[in-house]
Amino acid sequence: MTGLQLIDTATNETRELPVKGLFYGIGHQPNSGILGGQVELDSAGYVIVKEGAKTNVEGVFSAGDLHDIEWRQAVTAAGSGCMAALSAERYLTANNLVQFTTCQSEFSSAGHSSEEKVPVSASVGAVNAGGSKGSAVSTSRSSSGSSSSTSGSGGKTLEEEFNVHADKHKGQIALRKLYHESDRLMVVLYTSPTCGPCRTLKPILNKVIDEYTGKIHFIEIDIEADPEIAQAGGVNGTPTVQFFKNKDRLVNWPGLKAKSQYREVIEANI
């Protein structure tokens, strides 16, 4: 390429413009025709959003070039797609509309022993308690009366301060000891610090647990702090909830569920 031949549309005069490269700008028209009269659009047809991906219609979110009037890049479209997807997930969760279809884990098949199902490290001695031995342990009680035993270092239950009678615990030490020492139903929540749905699920699940004071052990596992526990339990993502009773795993649920589904499992096994 050596140049361009330009035509003046007013006079029809032509001239040569020496150039070595060319980027085509073909314009942009948002494909929002199907949304007319349903979602608020601007004068150019772009969807009007607020707070990242929200439209003026509750539960409807926009992503990509449909509302991007400035950048129009694949990477920005992908980013806004993630925002819209997470926003939709949170909306569905908040309104108890989420349903998940999951495959049965190989760990829960009939041919495996109960030892193969337990989500704890095979090397019992290789346990990282976290924090110093001087870390204080506090036993708190919620308004509903349920108690919890956690340490002052990252909230993990320390081995020397473990309380088998507490309802709520954190970390692999509590999980290991309760698995061997308790006859209560165990509810294990696997989370991670950057997991958005985990922040949605925690208060929901805590409220359900509080309804069964003294009947359930609830253990929270941070898979980044205790990765070997997650690997042993066949946990591939967060949040995941597992139910155990008498060293058998009863349920393995990735993602979010309605409160009623958690209650159904609890009622059937306490």
Side-chain angles (χ1 to χ4, degrees):
M1 180 176 182
T2 59
L4 299 173
Q5 185 180 63
L6 306 179
I7 301 176
D8 190 319
T9 58
T11 65
N12 288 324
E13 293 182 358
T14 62
R15 63 186 179 91
E16 299 290 332
L17 178 66
V19 295
K20 294 183 179 180
L22 174 66
F23 293 91
Y24 288 93
I26 60 175
H28 188 85
Q29 181 178 352
N31 190 19
S32 59
I34 61 172
L35 302 176
Q38 302 179 77
V39 174
E40 187 178 5
L41 309 175
D42 65 13
S43 58
Y46 288 92
V47 175
I48 297 175
V49 296
K50 58 182 179 180
E51 299 178 21
K54 288 184 179 180
T55 69
N56 66 309
V57 178
E58 182 179 0
V60 177
F61 306 90
S62 173
D65 292 0
L66 194 61
H67 69 253
D68 184 359
I69 62 174
E70 183 174 0
W71 308 111
R72 303 173 185 170
Q73 299 295 311
V75 65
T76 54
S80 69
C82 177
M83 293 168 61
L86 291 175
S87 297
E89 181 182 43
R90 292 176 183 179
Y91 174 83
L92 294 172
T93 300
N95 290 276
N96 293 321
L97 298 173
V98 176
Q99 294 186 359
F100 284 86
T101 301
T102 59
C103 297
Q104 186 180 32
S105 169
E106 62 178 338
F107 287 90
S108 60
S109 61
H112 291 278
S113 67
S114 60
E115 282 72 23
E116 290 175 310
K117 298 174 186 176
V118 60
V120 294
S121 173
S123 179
V124 175
V127 175
N128 177 17
S132 64
K133 291 188 176 180
S135 297
V137 173
S138 62
T139 300
S140 59
R141 189 169 295 275
S142 70
S143 58
S144 63
S146 64
S147 61
S148 62
S149 178
T150 57
S151 75
S153 176
K156 296 173 73 173
T157 303
L158 296 177
E159 188 163 14
E160 61 270 26
E161 301 289 352
F162 171 75
N163 178 9
V164 72
H165 300 295
D167 293 337
K168 298 179 181 179
H169 311 263
K170 288 186 178 182
Q172 63 170 298
I173 289 178
L175 178 57
R176 171 170 59 94
K177 295 181 77 68
L178 289 169
Y179 176 78
H180 291 287
E181 298 177 14
S182 177
D183 59 359
R184 293 190 198 178
L185 176 68
M186 294 169 51
V187 183
V188 185
L189 170 62
Y190 297 87
T191 69
S192 60
T194 58
C195 169
C198 295
R199 291 188 288 272
T200 299
L201 178 58
K202 282 183 185 181
I204 294 174
L205 198 53
N206 267 284
K207 288 182 179 179
V208 174
I209 298 301
D210 287 343
E211 298 173 10
Y212 301 93
T213 303
K215 299 180 180 179
I216 297 176
H217 284 305
F218 176 58
I219 308 100
E220 182 180 337
I221 299 294
D222 181 340
I223 68 168
E224 292 189 8
D226 295 317
E228 65 275 26
I229 294 295
Q231 183 177 7
V235 175
N236 298 315
T238 58
T240 293
V241 177
Q242 294 180 342
F243 291 80
F244 290 85
K245 185 71 176 287
N246 297 327
K247 297 186 178 181
D248 284 329
R249 193 176 76 185
L250 308 175
V251 173
N252 179 67
W253 274 343
L256 304 172
K257 300 289 182 182
K259 285 183 181 180
S260 60
Q261 292 177 276
Y262 297 117
R263 289 193 185 101
E264 286 176 5
V265 176
I266 293 172
E267 291 288 348
N269 292 284
I270 59 174

